């Protein structure tokens, strides 16, 4: 392995696994990386800064306002210097701070100022790891674009056995390598992704919508971004967040979504229509709240534009991917849609299946190809499903190139 010319910033927070971080630094230096280390105050209780200074050959960043003077903008300089930041070990406390944007020491402040990819390597007691608060924070961090190097199972320093042990150093080093070199497969590709539901107003209080949460579209956006793509997300109303590097366009109804997709279409290489676009809207939006005795008389529906159909004639070399929700004859119906909308792939799923479809963190999909072939996924978290779909898109992009 060779990390020549790469700047790797290690952030040690205060857990006993910090002693393993010394070995990580030593190994990265052996692989020719330029390594710097910053530590939280608690980390210095476990390992001396001198250990890291000696191994990395560079002073350790400990304070935002060092007594010996020096620039008080060190956190910005270090944040910019790094090609990747590895938080190892990442304690529950430091992860909680990052999940909520706290910047109260040199480590959290530098992390809040960086645009470099950040790997989190959690290490903690199994109950702390399993706690709802930590799991919620961890999920939020992944939603924000932090990459997780999952801890392993085994003997913990507290004498118990379970999940929470720092991942093996070889796994951490592989993740660093993947982040530095493996994620640029979509460099210079622009993904335009629609996500979430649309809302079609009936009157000032009521609207027609559907149960889409946006989770699948957001997972695709994050994973494409992590693989180096430029990503624009046109999103209906959701409560989800996206990493800062992703361009986000918020819309409410199907016509606004159509306009936003059309506005960004010229620059995209891949269009992923994940949104559950409402097929119909009320023909007229009432200015005042409609009285219930009148509503069945005044509610007339007009069909919304079909975005994929509208763009099909302008497709040229682009890849178009659709999503299809069906409760019966899933593959047949999805293949019909694929042909009619001139898609390259359609991702079919059945919202009635347990753990799949709307609002779940997991999904089970069937990827349907233009030649009618299909590939079924097992029930997996939506991030892994997104990765499978992106693997297929990568193959299609390579085919288009050759
Ligand atoms: N879609 C679209 N514009 C719409 C409706 C849907 O671009 N007005 C896209 C969706 O984002 C999805 C695909 O078309 O990628 C299939 O959506 P779906 O609702 O399953 O299919 P419909 O074509 O609307 O057919 P039906 O509702 O009858 O199943």
């Amino acid at each position: 392995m060779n990390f020549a010319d790469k700047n790797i910033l290690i952030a040690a927070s205060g857990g006993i696994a910090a002693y393993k971080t010394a070995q990580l630094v030593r190994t990265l230096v052996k692989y020719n990386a330029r390594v710097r280390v910053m530590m939280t105050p608690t980390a210095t209780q476990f390992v001396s800064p001198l250990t890291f200074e000696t191994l990395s050959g560079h002073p350790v960043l400990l304070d935002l306002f060092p007594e010996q003077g020096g620039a008080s903008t060190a956190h910005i300089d270090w944040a910019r210097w790094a090609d990747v930041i590895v938080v190892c070990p990442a304690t529950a406390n430091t992860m909680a701070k990052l999940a909520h944007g706290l910047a109260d020491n040199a480590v959290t402040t530098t992390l809040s100022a960086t645009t470099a990819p950040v790997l989190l390597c959690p290490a903690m007691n199994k109950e702390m790891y399993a706690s709802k608060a930590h799991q919620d924070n961890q999920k939020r961090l992944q939603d924000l674009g932090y990459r997780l190097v999952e801890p392993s199972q085994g003997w913990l320093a507290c004498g118990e056995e379970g999940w929470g042990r720092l991942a093996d150093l070889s796994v951490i080093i592989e993740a660093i390598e993947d982040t530095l070199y493996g994620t640029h497969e979509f460099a210079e590709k622009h993904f335009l992704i629609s996500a979430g539901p649309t809302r079609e107003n009936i009157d000032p209080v009521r609207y027609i919508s559907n149960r889409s949460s946006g989770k699948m579209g957001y997972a695709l956006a994050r994973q494409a971004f992590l693989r180096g793509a430029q990503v624009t997300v046109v999103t209906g109303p959701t409560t989800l967040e996206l990493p800062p590097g992703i361009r986000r366009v918020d819309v409410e109804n199907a016509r606004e979504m159509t306009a936003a997709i059309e506005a960004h279409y010229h620059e995209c290489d891949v269009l992923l229509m994940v949104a559950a676009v409402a097929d119909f809207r009320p023909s007229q939006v009432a200015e005042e709240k409609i009285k219930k005795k009148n509503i069945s008389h005044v509610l007339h529906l007009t069909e919304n534009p079909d975005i994929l159909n509208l763009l099909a004639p302008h497709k040229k070399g682009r890849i178009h991917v659709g999503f299809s929700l069906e409760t019966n004859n899933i593959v047949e119906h999805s293949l019909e849609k694929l042909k009619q909308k001139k898609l390259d792939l359609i991702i079919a799923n059945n919202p009635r299946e347990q753990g799949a479809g709307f609002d779940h963190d997991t999904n089970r999909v069937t990827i349907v190809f233009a030649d009618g072939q299909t590939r079924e996924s097992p029930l997996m978290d939506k991030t892994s499903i997104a990765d499978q779909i992106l693997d297929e898109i990568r193959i299609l992009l390579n085919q288009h190139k050759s």
Side-chain angles (χ1 to χ4, degrees):
M1 206 161 311
N2 193 353
F3 291 129
D5 296 326
K6 292 295 177 195
N7 294 341
I8 303 178
L9 175 53
I10 304 292
S13 57
I16 180 62
Y19 80 90
K20 296 183 185 170
T21 308
Q23 185 64 41
L24 175 67
V25 171
R26 190 167 153 59
T27 309
L28 292 172
V29 169
K30 196 174 90 191
Y31 292 154
N32 304 314
R34 284 185 290 257
V35 183
R36 290 188 193 177
V37 181
M38 54 183 179
M39 300 173 81
T40 64
T42 328
T44 63
Q45 304 281 322
F46 290 92
V47 181
S48 156
L50 185 62
T51 306
F52 287 126
E53 181 166 338
T54 310
L55 291 173
S56 68
H58 197 282
V60 172
L61 183 67
L62 297 168
D63 295 314
L64 286 172
F65 308 105
E67 276 170 24
Q68 281 84 1
S72 59
T73 54
H75 59 290
I76 305 289
D77 302 337
W78 284 52
R80 289 200 187 129
W81 173 84
D83 293 313
V84 60
I85 304 184
V86 187
V87 187
C88 179
T91 59
N93 184 42
T94 289
M95 288 175 72
K97 288 180 187 176
L98 293 178
H100 295 91
L102 267 69
D104 64 343
N105 59 39
V107 165
T108 49
T109 308
T110 306
L111 284 164
S112 69
T114 195
T115 54
V118 179
L119 301 186
L120 300 171
C121 310
M124 64 196 77
N125 160 274
K126 66 174 182 182
E127 315 293 359
M128 285 170 85
Y129 185 68
S131 72
K132 172 100 173 67
H134 175 74
Q135 288 298 319
D136 283 355
N137 287 336
Q138 193 165 287
K139 185 162 180 315
R140 186 170 154 78
L141 287 163
Q142 283 178 291
D143 288 347
L144 290 170
Y146 289 88
R147 188 165 171 183
L148 195 74
V149 185
E150 301 272 2
S152 60
Q153 198 176 19
W155 283 105
L156 303 170
C158 53
E160 292 178 292
E161 199 181 352
W163 289 101
R165 202 167 74 152
L166 185 73
D168 284 349
L169 292 190
S170 61
V171 174
I172 297 174
I173 288 170
E174 251 177 51
I176 296 173
E177 187 189 24
D178 189 44
T179 305
L180 288 173
Y181 303 105
T183 56
H184 290 75
E185 63 196 278
F186 292 139
E188 290 166 34
K189 295 289 172 211
H190 192 139
F191 280 58
L192 178 57
I193 302 178
S194 72
T198 64
R199 270 184 197 166
E200 311 297 327
N201 284 345
I202 298 173
D203 64 19
V205 244
R206 304 184 183 94
Y207 56 77
I208 300 173
S209 190
N210 56 62
R211 296 170 60 194
S212 168
S213 63
K215 285 180 181 170
M216 194 64 240
Y218 280 56
L220 277 157
R222 272 196 310 275
Q223 296 312 105
F225 178 66
L226 287 174
R227 294 182 185 207
Q230 276 178 276
V231 180
T232 302
V233 175
V234 176
T235 174
T238 73
T239 53
L240 305 176
E241 290 175 54
L242 286 166
I246 294 181
R247 179 161 56 182
R248 173 185 184 129
V249 183
D250 283 279
V251 297
E252 192 158 297
N253 60 44
R255 281 178 298 168
E256 286 170 12
M257 184 167 276
T258 309
I261 296 278
E262 282 179 329
H264 293 281
Y265 185 69
H266 66 280
E267 58 197 12
C268 87
D269 302 286
V270 179
L271 172 66
L272 283 166
M273 280 297 299
V274 198
V277 188
D279 291 317
F280 292 92
R281 65 178 183 275
S283 306
Q284 280 196 326
V285 183
E287 273 183 31
E288 307 297 340
K289 186 181 170 204
I290 305 169
K291 297 313 282 176
K292 74 175 169 211
K293 64 177 178 348
N294 297 331
I295 203 152
S296 61
H297 305 299
V298 295
L299 196 56
H300 300 289
L301 299 177
T302 300
E303 199 168 347
N304 275 326
D306 188 297
I307 301 172
L308 282 171
N309 274 341
L310 271 181
L311 293 173
H314 309 285
K315 195 175 162 205
K316 296 198 180 116
R318 294 181 183 86
I319 308 274
H320 280 194
V321 179
F323 277 69
S324 160
L325 275 174
E326 298 288 349
T327 51
N328 65 330
N329 297 334
I330 294 173
V331 172
E332 291 83 335
H333 287 158
S334 301
L335 195 55
E336 268 168 40
K337 281 184 205 170
L338 176 144
K339 296 218 160 101
Q340 196 225 329
K341 300 188 185 207
K342 299 203 171 27
L343 305 177
D344 298 275
L345 288 181
I346 191 156
I347 317 302
N349 67 341
N350 180 349
R352 281 201 195 139
E353 246 189 78
Q354 223 182 7
F358 291 138
D359 215 25
H360 287 283
D361 289 327
T362 51
N363 206 356
R364 185 204 300 276
V365 299
T366 305
I367 303 180
V368 182
F369 297 84
D371 61 3
Q373 287 201 42
T374 59
R375 184 158 306 149
E376 305 253 345
S377 79
L379 186 70
M380 294 194 287
D381 62 274
K382 285 186 173 168
T383 303
S384 309
I385 300 268
D387 274 326
Q388 270 205 350
I389 295 168
L390 292 173
D391 287 344
E392 298 301 341
I393 292 174
R394 186 190 52 212
I395 294 169
L396 287 174
L397 282 168
N398 285 343
Q399 284 169 356
H400 276 217
K401 215 167 37 184
S402 55

